[in-house]
Amino acid sequence: MPATDIDHSLHNISTVAGRYVLGQQAMRPGVNIFACRLRSISPTGFAVAAPVIGAIGEAVSASFAPFGALQGRVSRHLADGFAVALDGAEPDLADRIESFRHKPWHGLADKRAEKRFMPAEPRSVIILEGGEVLPCLIVDYSASGAAISADASPAIGAVVTIGHVPGRVVRRFDVGFAVHFDERQPGDEIEALLEAPLEWRRAVAVLRPRHIDTSEPGDATEGYGYD
């Protein structure tokens, strides 16, 4: 199965979050490690929604809790991320996929009963203090804040806007940073408010390949801590 073909029998695959590094450089928390959401996976490749897109053929190192560490190269750009062809056979990957296929699944929990949850469409934009607009991935969110992964490392205290929601950076961690919203957001509207403004949605869907500048390491902390 090509990595871009979604296996619908893996009905909870979109809840699997992971992390990835582009290129051959070593992982440097807070600098070149980004969050992603799995869209599909097979024994030969996988596809993810991601904030930073590698060039076709660029090396990718990714890790997903149910499937382990995976190595490959970008094979195709997608509307919200990219597909990866694995470098070679991954031991036991087919077995891990089959085990995941039969994992009990009862659907997403009621958002009103959960403090944090994952948006159905994790891709959005972040608007920085200087007005620069970048694609980002919303790792998770609550009524009071969100964990964000992007090709940016705003300082703690920096004013940013996620989609339509303004806030401030309160913490940085290995795959991104946490934003505390200026105002608590209504639970039944927040996901729509976090989406990219209409004028930016086309830009979010079509991203140019980018390489990561790892010359200046950033701070990294554990946990998201936006509440």
Side-chain angles (χ1 to χ4, degrees), residues 172-194:
R172 291 193 284 185
F173 49 91
D174 57 352
V175 296
F177 50 94
V179 174
H180 184 79
F181 301 146
D182 290 346
E183 297 181 359
R184 188 175 180 84
Q185 302 299 309
D188 57 346
E189 299 177 15
I190 183 170
E191 193 157 331
L193 292 171
L194 289 172

Side-chain angles (χ1 to χ4, degrees), residues 46-58:
F46 61 89
V48 291
V52 181
I53 311 301
I56 300 296
E58 189 168 13

Side-chain angles (χ1 to χ4, degrees), residues 7-226:
D7 182 347
H8 293 286
S9 65
L10 299 177
H11 42 73
N12 52 341
I13 197 69
S14 64
T15 66
V16 176
R19 58 189 63 197
Y20 69 99
V21 171
L22 294 172
Q24 301 290 350
Q25 62 267 48
M27 292 186 179
R28 299 173 70 178
V31 180
N32 68 342
I33 306 176
F34 301 99
C36 60
R37 287 267 295 278
L38 199 58
R39 292 304 197 194
S40 64
I41 190 168
S42 78
T44 60
F46 61 89
V48 291
V52 181
I53 311 301
I56 300 296
E58 189 168 13
V60 178
S61 300
S63 177
F64 306 95
F67 308 113
L70 303 173
Q71 309 286 330
R73 294 186 178 274
V74 177
S75 61
R76 183 182 175 189
H77 294 156
L78 308 176
D80 63 353
F82 55 89
V84 173
L86 297 179
D87 287 339
E90 293 285 345
D92 303 323
L93 179 56
D95 291 340
R96 292 197 293 271
I97 293 173
E98 189 64 18
S99 176
F100 185 87
R101 188 189 313 277
H102 296 292
K103 180 180 179 180
W105 178 245
H106 305 291
L108 292 174
D110 188 316
K111 294 177 182 178
R112 293 171 297 180
E114 296 292 328
K115 185 176 182 181
R116 301 180 185 183
F117 43 92
M118 302 168 75
E121 295 297 332
R123 285 289 300 281
S124 187
V125 294
I126 178 172
I127 304 173
L128 304 178
E129 282 187 282
E132 184 179 7
V133 180
L134 296 174
C136 71
L137 186 134
I138 301 171
V139 181
D140 63 27
Y141 69 94
S142 73
S144 59
I148 304 297
S149 188
D151 192 8
S153 185
I156 293 176
V159 175
V160 298
T161 299
I162 310 302
H164 300 80
V165 183
R168 289 182 180 273
V169 176
V170 293
R171 189 174 177 88
R172 291 193 284 185
F173 49 91
D174 57 352
V175 296
F177 50 94
V179 174
H180 184 79
F181 301 146
D182 290 346
E183 297 181 359
R184 188 175 180 84
Q185 302 299 309
D188 57 346
E189 299 177 15
I190 183 170
E191 193 157 331
L193 292 171
L194 289 172
E195 291 182 356
L198 183 60
E199 62 269 26
W200 289 104
R201 289 180 190 173
R202 185 180 298 274
V204 170
V206 182
L207 302 178
R208 293 177 300 170
R210 300 192 62 183
H211 291 272
I212 313 305
D213 179 2
T214 60
S215 58
E216 295 293 335
D219 296 331
T221 55
E222 293 297 328
Y224 297 159
Y226 51 73

